[in-house]
Amino acid sequence: MKKAYILLAEGFELVEALAPYDVFCRGGINVKTVSINNHPQVSASNKVKVEADFLISEVTDFDNVDLIYLPGGYPGYENLGNDPQVGEIAKKHYESGKLLAAICGAPTVLLKNQIALGKNVTAHSSCKIEMALSYKYTGRAIEEDGNLFTCIGAGHSVDFAIRLAEKLEGPEAVLKIKKGMELN
């Protein structure tokens, strides 16, 4: 069973974090949420509070995780990008060849931490100019370049998560997910 961690910062986009959580569970992926704060309760950008499975300070197995997922949302993506521990974890994960995913504004975390420079990426249109300076910004809904996956925004959260689930668990997982979600 593959393992995924979704990193949560104050102000994350609810659908960008919890839709993938649901999809990954349906696909048989061992998924956990990780608060980058010093408390497990994290408020989404719309003020919904979510109880994370772990605090970042409690996690000792980042090296054994197959996917690190960074949701956007304002100011969530800025909070992720300003946390040096998040940058270090994301960079090490990417450089080890494991899957790194970022959606909406969260691809700016890559830029702030000099991760995967020059790669094809997409991100929320408000980040286009910033991202295009150091990456090949495509503006596509979902972009895949090696082990880096990026998505333009919240409206594509389910499709993005299904794409990641397929990469982790294969086409059988996608069939199971789509059947359970009535997407067939």
Side-chain angles (χ1 to χ4, degrees):
M1 177 183 287
K2 299 293 184 174
K3 188 181 231 181
Y5 282 167
I6 299 172
L7 304 187
L8 300 180
E10 289 294 318
F12 71 93
E13 176 62 46
L14 192 66
V15 71
E16 292 172 3
L18 296 187
Y21 189 95
D22 181 83
V23 167
F24 296 161
C25 286
R26 290 172 189 268
I29 296 164
N30 179 7
V31 59
K32 301 293 181 198
T33 52
V34 179
S35 168
I36 71 162
N37 306 322
N38 59 5
H39 48 84
Q41 196 171 78
V42 187
S43 294
S45 58
N46 62 2
K47 308 301 181 216
V48 171
K49 295 183 186 321
V50 172
E51 184 98 7
D53 297 306
F54 301 112
L55 301 179
I56 199 167
S57 61
E58 298 171 329
V59 178
T60 59
D61 67 343
F62 279 111
D63 291 341
N64 298 320
V65 175
D66 302 289
L67 167 67
I68 298 290
Y69 182 96
L70 307 172
Y74 184 80
Y77 74 87
E78 286 188 350
N79 291 331
L80 287 172
N82 291 331
D83 187 301
Q85 192 172 8
V86 170
E88 181 182 317
I89 290 164
K91 188 170 197 155
K92 184 176 179 185
H93 198 77
Y94 174 76
E95 289 176 353
S96 74
K98 295 181 179 180
L99 301 185
L100 179 62
I103 185 171
C104 193
T108 62
V109 175
L110 309 173
L111 179 59
K112 286 183 180 179
N113 292 282
Q114 304 292 287
I115 300 168
L117 297 175
K119 295 291 185 179
N120 292 320
V121 299
T122 194
H124 192 275
S125 59
S126 66
C127 304
K128 176 182 177 177
I129 293 170
E130 178 182 14
M131 294 302 293
L133 296 174
S134 297
Y135 299 90
K136 295 173 192 147
Y137 180 87
T138 67
R140 292 185 186 131
I142 297 171
E143 189 61 63
E144 175 183 350
D145 193 339
N147 60 319
L148 179 65
F149 289 76
T150 52
C151 182
I152 202 162
H156 299 280
S157 296
V158 170
D159 290 338
F160 189 43
I162 290 172
R163 178 88 158 272
L164 292 165
E166 181 174 29
K167 193 72 173 176
L168 288 171
E169 291 290 348
E172 303 81 28
V174 172
L175 292 173
K176 182 178 173 185
I177 292 164
K178 287 185 173 185
K179 181 175 172 133
M181 296 180 79
E182 296 291 342
L183 293 174
N184 291 346

